[in-house]
């Protein structure tokens, strides 16, 4: 499924281009070889970027951190990705950075999980933001570095109980700089 979005930040606009990445491609790569898919090494443009590619890079870099710590790989989950993506978009469009959303019906992480069909499950959410780096892969590595240097976020990434993940991102312009707000949603599926 390809998503096209327009994200507004202040008076400047950044557009999301047609995805080179598709959901079916998650099983074709691992954290160890995903950058052999050349688009992951492309630079992120200040006005056009492939949101699906950036979200996939965050997924693979998360699994790299788990592998470095002797943990099993998380499986991609489409509904978790939708939940994470929508929260990132809301944070950009409504100019906030929090696990608590001002959007009615999506105030808490639990509310957002229910919206994608998950209720009463072992789950967690990480959020971060940063300026974009030289490529999709480098931006994902930067986000993971932030999370791994925060004890609570690191604990979520390295929780052996979690089996699935969805990553969501939204980019925005602030002056002449491009930033990304990112969300990771983790869940245990039995």
């Amino acid at each position: 499924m390809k998503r096209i979005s327009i994200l507004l930040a202040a008076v400047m606009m950044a557009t999301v281009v047609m995805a080179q990445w598709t959901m079916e491609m998650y099983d074709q790569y691992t954290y160890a070889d995903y950058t052999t898919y050349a688009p992951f090494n492309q630079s992120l443009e200040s006005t056009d970027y492939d949101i699906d590619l950036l979200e996939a890079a965050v997924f693979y870099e998360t699994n790299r951190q788990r592998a470095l710590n002797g943990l099993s790989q998380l499986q991609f989950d489409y509904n978790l990705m939708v939940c994470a993506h929508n929260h990132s978009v809301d944070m950009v469009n409504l100019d906030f950075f929090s696990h608590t959303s001002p959007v009615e019906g999506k105030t808490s992480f639990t509310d957002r999980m229910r919206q994608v069909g998950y209720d009463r499950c072992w789950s967690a959410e990480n959020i971060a933001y940063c300026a974009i780096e030289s490529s999709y892969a480098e931006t994902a590595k930067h986000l993971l570095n932030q999370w791994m240097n925060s004890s609570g976020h690191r604990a979520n990434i390295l929780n052996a109980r979690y089996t699935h993940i969805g990553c969501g991102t939204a980019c925005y312009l602030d002056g002449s700089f491009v930033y990304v707000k990112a969300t990771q949603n983790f869940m245990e599926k039995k």
Side-chain angles (χ1 to χ4, degrees):
M1 169 185 246
K2 294 184 179 181
R3 294 174 282 141
I4 302 175
S5 305
I6 297 178
L7 306 175
L8 299 174
V11 294
M12 303 200 69
M13 184 168 41
T15 59
V16 178
V17 298
M18 291 298 291
Q20 300 174 44
W21 185 261
T22 64
M23 301 308 123
E24 295 77 24
M25 296 171 76
Y26 276 93
D27 290 334
Q28 295 177 21
Y29 298 92
T30 69
Y31 71 88
D33 67 359
Y34 83 96
T35 56
T36 62
Y37 183 65
F40 282 114
N41 302 304
Q42 294 174 359
S43 67
L44 277 88
E45 299 299 324
S46 62
T47 56
D48 295 313
Y49 57 93
D50 184 330
I51 202 74
D52 294 312
L53 199 61
L54 183 53
E55 291 171 352
V58 174
F59 167 82
Y60 289 117
E61 288 302 325
T62 302
N63 274 331
R64 180 184 312 280
Q65 290 302 319
R66 288 178 63 89
L68 289 171
N69 287 276
L71 296 169
S72 64
Q73 301 299 284
L74 296 168
Q75 298 298 306
F76 169 76
D77 183 275
Y78 179 78
N79 289 345
L80 291 175
M81 184 271 303
V82 168
C83 183
H85 174 79
N86 289 344
H87 187 59
S88 294
V89 169
D90 286 346
M91 287 193 294
V92 166
N93 287 340
L94 300 175
D95 193 25
F96 73 96
F97 181 72
S98 175
H99 293 284
T100 303
S101 172
V103 178
E104 186 175 335
K106 296 177 8 177
T107 303
S108 71
F109 171 57
T110 303
D111 294 335
R112 294 187 293 276
M113 288 290 281
R114 279 191 197 113
Q115 285 191 334
V116 296
Y118 297 133
D119 192 21
R120 301 179 190 270
C121 56
W122 189 264
S123 58
E125 177 180 78
N126 284 348
I127 59 173
Y129 72 94
C130 70
I132 62 168
E133 297 291 328
S134 60
S135 69
Y136 292 90
E138 290 303 316
T139 301
K141 288 175 186 175
H142 185 84
L143 287 165
L144 263 296
N145 187 50
Q146 285 185 20
W147 281 319
M148 293 303 287
N149 285 311
S150 164
S151 61
H153 296 105
R154 179 184 177 89
N156 287 338
I157 291 167
L158 301 182
N159 188 325
R161 187 169 179 177
Y162 296 131
T163 58
H164 290 74
I165 187 172
C167 303
T169 62
C171 293
Y172 62 102
L173 297 172
D174 187 358
S176 60
F177 298 99
V178 181
Y179 293 87
V180 59
K181 289 185 180 178
T183 306
Q184 294 175 307
N185 290 155
F186 303 90
M187 188 174 112
E188 175 190 43
K189 279 189 177 180
K190 295 182 179 184

